[in-house]
Amino acid sequence: MDLSWMAWTWQTAAFFIFIGLAILAMGLWEKIEPGGAPRHGVLGLDTTRGDRLFISLLGSAYIHLGWLAFTGAPLWGATIISVVFALAVFRWV
Amino acid sequence: MKNFRWFVPTLYILFLMAPIYWLLNMSFKTTNEILGGFSLWPKDFTIDSYVEILTNPVWYNGYINSLSYVLLNMIISVSFALPAAYAFSRYRFLGDKHLFFWLLTNRMAPPAVFALPFLQLYSSMGLFDTPLAVALAHALFNIPLSVWILEGFMSGVPKEIDETAYIDGYSFPRFFVKIFMPLIASGIGVTAFFVFMFSWVELLLAKTLTSVAAKPIAAVMTRTSSTAGYELGLLAAAGVLTIIPGAIVIWFVRNHIAKGFAMGRV
Amino acid sequence: MNKTQNNKAWFLVLPVLAIVSLNAIVPLMTVVNYSVQETFGNNLFFFEGVRWFREVLDSERFQDSLLRQFSFTGIILAIEIPLGVAIALSMPKKGIWASVCLVLMSLPLLIPWNVVGAMWNIFALPDIGLLGYTLNAMGFDYNFTRQAISAWFTVILMDVWHWTSLVVLLAYAGLRSIDDSYYQAARIDGASKWAVFLYIQLPKLKHVLTLAFLLRFIDSFMIYTEPFVLTGGGPGNTTTFLSIDLVKSALGEFNLGAAGAMSLIYFLMTLLVCWLFYTLAMRGEER
């Protein structure tokens, strides 16, 4: 089957591999050391680890978009903020 | 006050019927009369448009194509969704809630741009221009919907029924088909109705994935404005005929729907 | 219902997972790939990084159609949800008339979307359409192909015509599931109609209204066929909603990179709204 129409680049491939590994890692983590019942975080939401991963990823997408919309600076600035954001989400949300 | 309650639904139904009446009105007029001016009913009553549609294979094949992919999609969606909905309604498993939400997000992708990769995907699988391609593509939004609706109905069936059946020595497949499915028959009816609805009305994907052999009726209709001039009468008649299968389906499932509604969550 | 913990349930979900993944993940990956590249056809692609995202976010055209999209979705939700609940409340509860109402009200939902657009086009034409002719005869200056306000009025009326029934059906289903004993208890307490609505009916409707809101939000946010057939996005650009703009740039101008970036931004917005709404509506449900 010819798949050249999917127009892969190594950058996007790396991106999807990262997402896949993140989900896999969450599954393994849950298997080895169950996270248990959802906890009540600072936002007033009950979240499990999976929810926190989702919030981190969605938030990172918005941080990157906001960075593109409001600054002209290189994108890795947004990536740093995203990592900090994700750590904060896993710690407190 | 109480005696005027019928007033609201009646007014609403009149509002719903007005454009449909207008379409019906147009379909019995000649094109000349339509363009000639405003009239509340056809003066020069004709059924030529309907005769043209029912005798011209380009037209009636459109109906056959549409119906065949819709039926295929109904079979695929309901049969795939049944076990999944059972899993969601009876068990907790790793990642269940996220999986459920992910399924629902598949309704959110704008089909406008996703149509192009779909075309490429089904061409490379050799399914382009077959009803199966459209049926599989529509499964994208119909399977999640079916899972949601069926899960609601299944949660209404007490779990003791499953356990009793297993104690009585039923295997899972036999229990599912012989005992469980009859219990949620109206749920399956309601699901089939919604699946039919969303597959029958969708055009963008159906049109992208077909060219000649499996062209749906709704896509045949766009032809009237391009090649044969603007034949409003024909267009209106074809439009009226697209309403009929839907109307028949509603008529058949109306009792199921009423019953399904009484059972609770849709 | 108390569910059993059993990871083998994954096997029951696998078929669904396989078929939905094929349809969802492969196209999504392809659109992501498009969004970072420039194409000249024939599968020739050049990497462009985030250029398209930056261009789309900065373009006035995108901001305008986004604003139009949010206005449209806001207006139709504000009309359809309350109207649908009101109609469901005043519908007959059982018997032949309930069936008649259900069947007639479901009709608009089962008409292919381009037929809906074409139907409303001939219904609203100022010279030969019932609506257009009547409005003009009553002294309104109405022409949806020339005036922005008329075009908006027609598109909104069409959407209300098309989709309010979905809200009615769902709300009706929710109301039917309320046990008679609740109403009897309310009657004994001498509760007013308003109190019955607020404390008995509305809480029971929460579930179905969540579904109605989500379906209506998602579908109206990517509305394409009906306004395209009715107005073609005009007059000018006044009814060019997001999807219409998207198709214009993807197919009309064959600018796959920008269209890909735009649809991803658009998908992220829908995802956020739906997740927020879903989480808030389901909060405190499970325990």
Side-chain angles (χ1 to χ4, degrees):
Chain A
M1 201 192 290
D2 177 26
L3 286 178
S4 63
W5 52 267
M6 281 186 80
W8 281 105
T9 62
W10 68 264
Q11 290 92 339
T12 47
F15 171 73
F16 280 111
I17 290 171
F18 167 72
I19 303 262
L21 287 179
I23 294 171
L24 196 69
M26 294 304 285
L28 288 176
W29 184 14
E30 190 69 29
K31 193 103 194 163
I32 296 162
E33 192 195 317
R39 75 167 182 227
H40 199 72
V42 285
L43 294 179
L45 296 174
D46 296 324
T47 56
T48 58
R49 278 179 193 158
D51 298 330
R52 276 169 244 149
L53 176 71
F54 178 77
I55 296 170
S56 308
L57 289 176
L58 190 63
S60 306
Y62 273 89
I63 291 169
H64 281 87
L65 283 182
W67 187 274
L68 285 175
F70 298 112
T71 73
L75 202 60
W76 51 262
T79 312
I80 294 174
I81 301 178
S82 300
V83 172
V84 176
F85 173 75
L87 290 175
V89 166
F90 271 84
R91 178 69 186 81
W92 287 296
V93 173
Chain B
M1 178 68 198
K2 191 135 183 102
N3 299 329
F4 285 102
R5 255 172 75 135
W6 55 270
F7 196 69
V8 179
T10 312
L11 211 63
Y12 177 63
I13 287 175
L14 280 179
F15 165 62
L16 293 185
M17 290 305 127
I20 298 181
Y21 167 72
W22 205 243
L23 194 71
L24 207 59
N25 177 12
M26 291 284 184
S27 71
F28 289 117
K29 289 178 177 179
T30 60
T31 302
N32 280 341
E33 194 193 337
I34 294 172
L35 297 175
F38 179 85
S39 61
L40 274 174
W41 51 83
K43 294 206 174 61
D44 192 8
F45 190 88
T46 170
I47 55 163
D48 284 354
S49 308
Y50 289 96
V51 172
E52 162 72 11
I53 290 171
L54 294 176
T55 53
N56 185 339
V58 177
W59 279 106
Y60 66 72
N61 277 337
Y63 283 99
I64 296 171
N65 294 336
S66 288
L67 282 173
S68 52
Y69 72 69
V70 170
L71 289 177
L72 259 174
N73 177 260
M74 273 166 83
I75 297 167
I76 295 174
S77 299
V78 174
S79 56
F80 277 63
L82 274 170
Y86 183 80
F88 282 118
S89 82
R90 292 296 194 255
Y91 299 112
R92 249 180 300 125
F93 48 95
L94 192 57
D96 52 353
K97 295 211 183 81
H98 304 110
L99 191 64
F100 199 66
F101 185 73
W102 173 70
L103 283 176
L104 295 179
T105 61
N106 288 311
R107 274 195 74 84
M108 299 174 195
V113 167
F114 286 75
L116 202 60
F118 263 105
L119 172 64
Q120 304 269 25
L121 175 66
Y122 284 100
S123 304
S124 65
M125 291 198 301
L127 288 174
F128 177 69
D129 207 15
T130 59
L132 185 62
V134 185
L136 283 174
H138 282 180
L140 171 70
F141 47 83
N142 270 342
I143 285 188
L145 191 77
S146 311
V147 173
W148 181 321
I149 298 175
L150 285 171
E151 195 264 342
F153 279 98
M154 289 177 180
S155 299
V157 178
K159 216 175 157 187
E160 285 69 35
I161 292 184
D162 310 26
E163 281 152 9
T164 324
Y166 294 139
I167 292 167
D168 288 350
Y170 276 85
S171 66
F172 174 71
R174 212 169 129 235
F175 152 74
F176 201 83
V177 175
K178 291 257 166 180
I179 300 181
F180 199 67
M181 277 174 56
L183 281 176
I184 53 157
S186 29
I188 296 176
V190 172
T191 312
F193 166 74
F194 277 98
V195 167
F196 175 93
M197 169 179 142
F198 281 111
S199 181
W200 178 252
V201 299
E202 205 279 343
L203 175 69
L204 205 68
L205 285 177
K207 202 171 141 186
T208 313
L209 293 176
T210 56
S211 68
V212 185
K215 197 172 186 172
I217 180 62
V220 180
M221 282 177 66
T222 51
R223 207 182 58 119
T224 50
S225 49
S226 49
T227 55
Y230 206 51
E231 291 183 52
L232 275 177
L234 210 53
L235 193 72
V240 170
L241 289 175
T242 61
I243 303 179
I244 292 174
I248 295 172
V249 169
I250 310 174
W251 187 254
F252 275 116
V253 299
R254 73 184 190 288
N255 287 327
H256 274 305
I257 288 191
K259 208 164 149 207
F261 281 179
M263 266 174 76
R265 224 173 97 192
V266 166
Chain C
M1 175 177 307
N2 57 329
K3 301 178 188 176
T4 330
Q5 177 80 33
N6 186 352
N7 282 331
K8 287 203 186 95
W10 264 99
F11 289 108
L12 294 172
V13 189
L14 270 183
V16 162
L17 203 62
I19 196 166
V20 178
S21 300
L22 172 76
N23 275 316
I25 294 178
V26 173
L28 180 70
M29 283 175 165
T30 311
V31 170
V32 171
N33 292 342
Y34 286 164
S35 73
V36 294
Q37 299 180 81
E38 166 94 84
T39 177
F40 300 103
N42 288 330
N43 284 343
L44 268 178
F45 291 92
F46 298 93
F47 189 70
E48 288 281 355
V50 291
R51 184 184 134 199
W52 296 123
F53 286 92
R54 195 163 261 154
E55 263 178 26
V56 167
L57 287 169
D58 284 343
S59 82
E60 233 164 79
R61 176 173 151 185
F62 175 73
Q63 289 159 5
D64 288 349
S65 48
L66 187 64
L67 185 69
R68 278 193 289 270
Q69 185 63 63
F70 271 112
S71 321
F72 174 75
T73 300
I75 293 171
I76 62 112
L77 282 173
I79 298 175
E80 286 171 15
I81 304 251
L83 183 65
V85 173
I87 292 167
L89 282 171
S90 56
M91 258 171 72
K93 291 213 171 45
K94 45 182 77 120
I96 178 82
W97 287 112
S99 297
V100 170
C101 279
L102 284 177
V103 171
L104 288 177
M105 284 178 186
S106 313
L107 267 184
L109 299 174
L110 287 144
I111 303 175
W113 294 347
N114 66 329
V115 178
V116 171
M119 180 196 272
W120 271 80
N121 191 311
I122 52 176
F123 183 61
L125 279 175
D127 45 350
I128 55 169
L130 183 60
L131 177 72
Y133 187 87
T134 316
L135 282 177
N136 278 306
M138 282 160 67
F140 295 100
D141 180 26
Y142 169 88
N143 186 336
F144 73 91
T145 56
R146 295 224 192 88
Q147 302 146 348
I149 296 177
S150 304
W152 266 81
F153 171 75
T154 318
V155 171
I156 288 169
L157 196 67
M158 173 176 71
D159 202 77
V160 168
W161 178 87
H162 192 180
W163 287 110
T164 305
S165 295
L166 185 72
V167 184
V168 175
L169 287 185
L170 291 170
Y172 180 77
L175 287 173
R176 300 296 307 129
S177 73
I178 301 175
D179 208 64
D180 261 345
S181 59
Y182 284 96
Y183 292 119
Q184 280 161 12
R187 214 171 298 133
I188 292 165
D189 290 346
S192 69
K193 268 204 160 137
W194 180 242
V196 169
F197 175 68
L198 214 55
Y199 297 110
I200 298 179
Q201 292 171 325
L202 206 56
K204 274 280 181 183
L205 287 180
K206 204 176 104 179
H207 239 117
V208 286
L209 286 185
T210 307
L211 180 59
F213 178 92
L214 285 176
L215 282 176
R216 281 318 298 136
F217 176 82
I218 295 168
D219 288 350
S220 74
F221 210 67
M222 59 188 194
I223 189 167
Y224 172 74
T225 312
E226 303 106 299
F228 182 75
V229 176
L230 181 67
T231 64
N237 270 332
T238 47
T239 52
T240 301
F241 300 120
L242 274 181
S243 274
I244 298 181
D245 205 13
L246 215 51
V247 174
K248 268 187 195 164
S249 59
L251 303 178
E253 298 151 26
F254 204 69
N255 196 344
L256 286 182
M262 203 162 135
S263 46
L264 288 176
I265 295 172
Y266 175 177
F267 179 58
L268 281 174
M269 287 190 292
T270 328
L271 196 59
L272 179 68
V273 173
C274 291
W275 178 77
L276 278 177
F277 194 79
Y278 185 82
T279 316
L280 295 179
M282 297 294 167
R283 188 156 71 167
E285 283 279 304
E286 296 288 327
R287 47 193 64 201

